[in-house]
Amino acid sequence: MYLISTSKKTVLSDFADLETKSAYVHANGEQTDFQFNAQRRVFVEVDKKAGLAVMRIKENQQNAPEIQRVRKLTIDNAYSVCCAKMAPNQIAIGQSSGFVKLFDFRTAQLIHRYPANSSRSTVLCLDYNCTDEYIAVVLEDGKINICGTKTKQKIETLALDDHSTLARFHPSKRFHMAVASYKGAVTVYDLQSKKTIFNIVDAHDAPCRDVSMCSNQPSLLVSVGYDCKINIFDIRRNKAQSSSGRLTYSHPLSTVALSECGTYFCAGNLKGELLTYDMRSTKAPLAVRSVHEGSAVTRVAFVPMPTEEQQSSSFSSSTNVTMDAGGGRAAPVDQTPSDELRKSIAASLLSTQQQLASINSLSVASPNIMATPAAVRQQRDSFCDFLDAHKPRGLDRMSTRLTTTSRRDSFDWDALHAKPVSDDQRQSICQTGSGLSSLDSANSSAVDSLQQTLSGPLRDRSNASVDAKLKQIAETDEQTELHERSVNCSADSDKENPQMADIEQKRRLRMLPASRNSTPHHVAATVSQAATLQLQPQQLLPKTSSNVSSVAVQSDCCLEVRKELSELRGFIEERGKLLESAAG
């Protein structure tokens, strides 16, 4: 275990024999106060004339601990300081003007400022509670202000005996606060219940200078004062210790600190000596040594024992440059091999993360290069596209259900029962494209070309007009066949049974538009016109610039078909009128 004590210099000592391991001499020779930050080996010192200094304990090249100054902050009227117990870089500064300011000592940024009292009393002491929710502010007039860090407001003002000089929160009980009085009283106050749970008025015959508590033994409290007495209290009993049980030393005592385990404590006196004790046997001190050479010991504390992660983070988070709030820079502190090793590990980790990020960004920017075809196919626009890509289209899809326009239903129910196409076949089909060529009499070539044309993805909207024309031609063939049968039947039976022929003709006319949902205005052709109309199957070839003429020829054929159909419709209407007149 190690100890830090401050006076005109800051000394790091070994607890076993109080041997000095490292010392940092202040330039102006003023006495300083300090407090450790968040269970790390980083502490903040306050000098009433020079300002603040962020210090740390670090092992040198010989693996010996030493004190180093990390940063210097120049803040006017700084009188006292305390460090947060949970936040790693937050401190509270009490000024001689009565203001309390919250700072981030790493960035020197002001977080908040609490206003001063009307009397503008000097802030003698500050302390955070164990959860950083409250700050106890002891003023020169003996009052204690409790400030909230979340509400950023003063919560209440305590006047226990109007002579309070120091306040310390319990390290594990967030509402318990121990108060030392200039008149020698020791008090423990509960902020939640607003009651005094421990109060010894005559704890010391002279001013009480310091109190200390620990988390492992929450009921233990140690106090020292200028009466040369060391008191060890059990706050559960709320009674004074017997005079024979008090520890007495030859010089007035100014500070005391309990270890984290609660077994040992160390006290400092006005002569500059440090005294170490074992709580199990307090008849004589373990060691006594003059560390500060006649100067009064301002503050003493045990160096925290953090985990390796906390220790490495505290070392790496501190900058290796001494600087003040104005931005001035001084000579850099020498780096140790451990620092360089940590930096090399961090640099390699950063480069690995950058490489992974660049690979991900490249794969997103160019999916055709970095991604597989399956990954590209997952980025489809709709569920219909996915079904179309897995559906081999043939002549069975060229039914009369299809419309003559380029717009189709967004969901394909027939593709749910179809077998999926392999990746190689689907890629070859998508790359081939589709087109319309001139008329051809070969039915097999028409079937193959239709399969090739209609097996492409649905989102290929450039072939929509070609598909509509193919659908129209197929419907015309089917329509011609139906009406040819109806005309033959009517010609054979008109003379024998005109009434039955009329009923059969009307039934067929009603069924005709029902078989073509998307083309209800199409009409059938006569026998003579169907005989003269010679429509041949088409052959589909890949669409090129040479197909433009074939498309024009087909459009002329479509116009002729429509003209013939309109004439056929007029003929049917006339025949229907004749049949009705004959039946009448």
Side-chain angles (χ1 to χ4, degrees):
M1 291 188 298
Y2 294 101
L3 293 167
I4 287 288
S5 59
T6 57
S7 180
K8 293 183 178 180
K9 61 181 179 180
T10 303
V11 179
L12 175 66
S13 306
D14 190 357
F15 176 79
D17 54 0
L18 296 179
E19 180 184 359
T20 300
K21 297 297 182 180
S22 177
Y24 186 87
V25 180
H26 302 285
N28 55 3
E30 292 291 332
Q31 292 186 349
T32 59
D33 195 359
F34 77 97
Q35 196 174 57
F36 276 97
N37 174 254
Q39 294 298 313
R40 298 187 303 169
R41 293 192 171 188
V42 177
F43 59 95
V44 181
E45 289 186 342
V46 57
D47 188 343
K48 297 178 180 62
K49 294 184 178 180
L52 301 177
V54 181
M55 314 291 287
R56 68 175 177 181
I57 302 171
K58 185 177 180 180
E59 294 182 355
N60 54 19
Q61 296 180 356
Q62 289 77 23
N63 294 328
E66 64 177 1
I67 302 173
Q68 295 180 355
R69 189 176 75 173
V70 179
R71 175 170 295 179
K72 189 177 186 307
L73 301 175
T74 303
I75 299 177
D76 297 335
N77 303 325
Y79 194 89
S80 57
V81 67
C82 70
C83 296
K85 305 299 191 300
M86 303 295 292
N89 301 319
Q90 185 173 334
I91 59 174
I93 300 172
Q95 295 180 316
S96 58
S97 58
F99 290 94
V100 176
K101 296 181 179 180
L102 304 184
F103 278 91
D104 187 331
F105 66 77
R106 187 169 185 177
T107 61
Q109 181 180 2
L110 177 65
I111 300 175
H112 184 68
R113 186 183 75 165
Y114 295 95
N117 289 353
S118 58
S119 60
R120 292 188 176 270
S121 301
T122 302
V123 179
L124 300 180
C125 177
L126 301 120
D127 193 46
Y128 279 90
N129 74 329
C130 60
T131 58
D132 293 346
E133 293 177 334
Y134 306 106
I135 301 176
V137 181
V138 182
L139 302 177
E140 191 177 13
D141 57 3
K143 296 181 180 180
I144 302 175
N145 290 337
I146 306 299
C147 300
T149 57
K150 294 183 178 179
T151 60
K152 298 293 188 298
Q153 294 179 357
K154 182 177 69 174
I155 298 175
E156 62 177 328
T157 300
L158 304 177
L160 299 179
D161 63 352
D162 292 336
H163 294 90
S164 301
T165 57
L166 181 137
R168 289 280 185 264
F169 275 103
H170 198 282
S172 60
K173 298 181 179 181
R174 61 176 182 170
F175 296 114
H176 288 188
M177 179 181 64
V179 181
S181 174
Y182 186 78
K183 287 189 174 182
V186 176
T187 305
V188 178
Y189 183 79
D190 190 343
L191 296 179
Q192 187 178 23
S193 62
K194 300 185 184 301
K195 294 181 180 179
T196 300
I197 61 176
F198 179 83
N199 183 26
I200 304 297
V201 179
D202 56 349
H204 295 275
D205 299 331
C208 179
R209 298 303 302 167
D210 200 2
V211 294
S212 181
M213 295 175 288
C214 66
S215 57
N216 287 345
Q217 296 186 20
S219 60
L220 183 63
L221 186 147
V222 178
S223 66
V224 297
Y226 283 166
D227 58 350
C228 305
K229 301 293 184 180
I230 302 175
N231 291 325
I232 302 173
F233 297 110
D234 187 348
I235 60 178
R236 296 172 296 182
R237 298 184 179 181
N238 195 16
K239 65 178 182 178
Q241 193 177 18
S242 62
S243 59
S244 60
R246 297 181 181 182
L247 303 179
T248 305
Y249 193 69
S250 58
H251 291 86
L253 301 171
S254 58
T255 181
V256 67
L258 267 172
S259 63
E260 294 180 0
C261 60
T263 307
Y264 307 98
F265 69 92
C266 178
N269 58 21
L270 298 181
K271 193 178 178 181
E273 295 176 339
L274 294 180
L275 301 81
T276 58
Y277 283 89
D278 189 342
M279 297 289 292
R280 296 166 292 187
S281 176
T282 58
K283 294 182 179 180
L286 296 177
V288 178
R289 176 168 293 191
S290 178
V291 177
H292 292 278
E293 301 173 356
S295 300
V297 181
T298 306
R299 195 71 59 199
V300 65
F302 282 85
V303 177
M305 303 288 292
T307 61
E308 293 183 358
E309 295 180 359
Q310 293 176 344
Q311 187 173 354
S312 62
S313 64
S314 64
F315 289 163
S316 61
S317 63
S318 303
T319 56
N320 293 327
V321 178
T322 303
M323 59 183 298
D324 55 11
R329 305 178 71 89
V333 180
D334 296 336
Q335 297 182 358
T336 62
S338 60
D339 283 342
E340 296 179 356
L341 178 61
R342 279 193 294 271
K343 288 183 178 180
S344 62
I345 294 173
S348 61
L349 180 61
L350 181 61
S351 63
T352 304
Q353 292 177 351
Q354 291 177 352
Q355 291 177 0
L356 292 175
S358 62
I359 291 174
N360 293 333
S361 62
L362 185 59
S363 64
V364 172
S366 56
N368 295 330
I369 299 176
M370 302 298 298
T372 60
V376 175
R377 287 192 301 274
Q378 291 178 358
Q379 299 177 357
R380 291 190 174 274
D381 296 336
S382 65
F383 185 65
C384 181
D385 295 342
F386 175 76
L387 294 178
D388 286 341
H390 288 73
K391 171 63 180 175
R393 303 293 181 85
L395 286 178
D396 57 334
R397 298 291 295 118
M398 289 299 300
S399 63
T400 56
R401 294 185 300 104
L402 300 178
T403 63
T404 56
T405 60
S406 61
R407 187 177 183 274
R408 291 184 51 202
D409 190 7
S410 61
F411 191 85
D412 195 348
W413 294 97
D414 295 338
L416 290 175
H417 305 286
K419 295 182 180 180
V421 184
S422 63
D423 294 342
D424 298 336
Q425 182 180 358
R426 182 162 55 252
Q427 291 177 6
S428 62
I429 291 173
C430 294
Q431 292 174 0
T432 303
S434 60
L436 180 64
S437 64
S438 59
L439 299 176
D440 189 8
S441 60
N443 294 330
S444 61
S445 63
V447 172
D448 296 338
S449 60
L450 285 172
Q451 290 179 351
Q452 181 178 359
T453 302
L454 297 177
S455 61
L458 181 63
R459 60 183 175 185
D460 189 6
R461 302 299 183 186
S462 62
N463 300 324
S465 60
V466 178
D467 294 339
K469 294 174 182 178
L470 290 176
K471 296 168 189 176
Q472 182 179 359
I473 294 172
E475 291 172 359
T476 305
D477 295 337
E478 189 173 321
Q479 171 188 349
T480 304
E481 184 178 357
L482 289 174
H483 283 280
E484 185 178 354
R485 294 177 183 176
S486 65
V487 171
N488 292 333
C489 293
S490 62
D492 295 336
S493 61
D494 281 348
K495 295 181 180 180
E496 298 176 359
N497 192 359
Q499 183 176 4
M500 294 300 296
D502 185 23
I503 296 173
E504 182 68 15
Q505 181 67 23
K506 290 182 180 181
R507 186 182 67 83
R508 289 184 180 275
L509 289 175
R510 283 197 305 269
M511 292 176 60
L512 183 60
S515 64
R516 297 188 308 252
N517 295 331
S518 61
T519 57
H521 297 294
H522 285 188
V523 293
T526 60
V527 177
S528 60
Q529 292 168 348
T532 57
L533 183 61
Q534 300 293 332
L535 294 177
Q536 296 181 359
Q538 298 176 357
Q539 182 180 2
L540 302 181
L541 296 175
K543 186 175 181 179
T544 59
S545 60
S546 61
N547 300 126
V548 177
S549 59
S550 62
V551 173
V553 172
Q554 185 194 357
S555 62
D556 295 338
C557 294
C558 291
L559 292 175
E560 294 177 0
V561 170
R562 291 180 181 178
K563 184 177 179 181
E564 296 294 335
L565 290 176
S566 61
E567 295 177 357
L568 178 62
R569 181 177 180 181
F571 173 77
I572 291 174
E573 290 178 355
E574 293 178 0
R575 186 174 180 83
K577 293 179 180 179
L578 293 175
L579 291 174
E580 289 178 359
S581 60

